[in-house]
Amino acid sequence: EFLPTRAVYGNIDGADIRGRYPEIDLFKIEDITAMMIHIGGYPGKYSSKARSEIMENRPGLFISGHSHILKVMHDKKYNLLHINPGAAGRFGSHPMITMVRFIIDGERVSDLEVFEAARSQPV
């Protein structure tokens, strides 16, 4: 079962996608404030925009992408869980398709699962 989907636009998205989705999505889910941005970096190496938003909004869950490299890291400095799900698209330099799935219950993120599959070539 898929619940409502949230998305942000990325650096190569056109006007149609940018018109439908925000650059940054800050939202409450269960008892966690979550923030999504495409180019966000990761703990110790956040983009300046992401760092500013993290400092202002103090999310407990920070999801970003861009690097196409799956990373899950706890950031002790800002007390958040950083997740980069990797890459699920058919274009780019990534050899594998990666995604993550997890459960949010109250303030707790648990049961994180990684999906990985060989990428098919673009048509």
Side-chain angles (χ1 to χ4, degrees), residues 15-90:
D16 58 333
I17 298 295
R18 289 172 186 251
R20 280 192 294 192
Y21 301 105
E23 178 183 17
I24 299 170
D25 193 5
L26 182 70
F27 56 97
K28 190 87 166 175
I29 183 163
E30 293 279 332
D31 296 326
I32 292 180
T33 298
M35 187 174 99
M36 291 188 340
I37 183 173
H38 180 67
I39 301 177
Y42 54 92
K45 303 248 183 201
Y46 293 118
S47 70
S48 59
K49 184 174 276 191
R51 185 175 30 262
S52 175
E53 291 288 331
I54 288 168
M55 290 172 60
E56 181 179 336
N57 297 296
R58 299 292 182 182
L61 177 61
F62 176 69
I63 302 169
S64 68
H66 188 65
S67 71
H68 295 212
I69 300 169
L70 186 141
K71 287 185 184 187
V72 178
M73 304 169 70
H74 183 256
D75 184 334
K76 292 178 184 177
K77 180 176 181 178
Y78 295 111
N79 192 31
L80 61 81
L81 178 62
H82 167 266
I83 298 176
N84 180 333
R90 295 182 65 201

